[in-house]
Amino acid sequence: MASNLRLLSAQAYKLPSKVLADRFSAKALLVTSNKKILLLQKPSGKWDLPGGKLKGGEGWIDGLRREVYEESGLKIKQAEWLTGWPQGRATNKQILKGFFLCLLDNKANKYSIALSREHIGSKFCSLDRVGDHLPQEKYAVTLRYAARKLQN
């Protein structure tokens, strides 16, 4: 884990129930009933978790649901805060990135995904293989939290 990584608790994410535009981003670890995680492929070839920037005045969960639906056509059944951290941007603005463990409808599979123009592919991976596709070191922390939650 990176030494400069400052993780945020669930209490930290609750502070702004409605967010300011372009200052918050939510990502989802979308879990199927057989504990597979959805990954989306960007045109660059990189894989990522569904989610993105929240709109001004939007709550965390509402924004996450909107982003996931826009990017995949899937609906979140349940969402639980995992962790988050502040992240710098090329524009010198800092955003808060929050990660949520989300349960999908039991019927979700690769055939039910409707990709947005932001992505060129999708796949479901077991939790122990997701890290192979997400090169960002910070995601490893999130994946460990998710693994613990899913064991319970």
Side-chain angles (χ1 to χ4, degrees):
M1 179 167 68
S3 59
N4 62 351
L5 181 61
R6 194 176 105 230
L7 299 177
L8 299 173
S9 68
Q11 288 75 30
Y13 97 88
K14 289 181 183 176
L15 290 176
S17 60
K18 303 290 182 188
V19 301
L20 304 172
D22 297 332
R23 300 310 289 262
F24 295 85
S25 175
K27 292 285 189 177
L29 274 89
L30 295 173
V31 182
T32 63
S33 58
N34 60 352
K35 297 188 180 179
K36 300 278 183 171
I37 307 286
L38 176 66
L39 295 177
L40 300 178
Q41 189 176 33
K42 297 180 177 189
S44 66
K46 292 181 182 180
W47 293 92
D48 200 3
L49 298 169
K53 285 189 222 169
L54 305 184
K55 295 179 179 178
E58 196 169 44
W60 278 101
I61 302 299
D62 291 339
L64 181 67
R65 281 193 171 116
R66 178 188 52 75
E67 278 289 336
V68 167
Y69 186 75
E70 285 176 3
E71 292 184 358
S72 68
L74 298 174
K75 293 184 179 180
I76 296 172
K77 185 172 161 182
Q78 178 182 340
E80 181 182 350
W81 173 265
L82 282 173
T83 189
W85 56 80
Q87 180 175 345
R89 308 281 287 174
T91 59
N92 290 328
K93 281 185 185 177
Q94 195 171 59
I95 63 166
L96 176 60
K97 187 175 270 193
F99 289 82
F100 295 80
L101 184 62
C102 304
L103 300 180
L104 285 172
D105 187 317
N106 289 339
K107 300 172 193 143
N109 61 50
K110 66 181 180 178
Y111 304 108
S112 59
I113 297 170
L115 291 176
S116 70
R117 294 181 186 161
E118 296 177 49
H119 300 95
I120 59 170
S122 65
K123 65 177 163 183
F124 287 96
C125 288
S126 61
L127 190 58
D128 61 331
R129 303 297 302 174
V130 171
D132 298 343
H133 303 287
L134 299 173
Q136 297 177 13
E137 185 179 338
K138 292 178 181 178
Y139 280 26
V141 175
T142 303
L143 296 172
R144 283 196 296 273
Y145 285 158
R148 279 189 230 137
K149 294 256 184 194
L150 291 171
Q151 287 174 352
N152 297 335

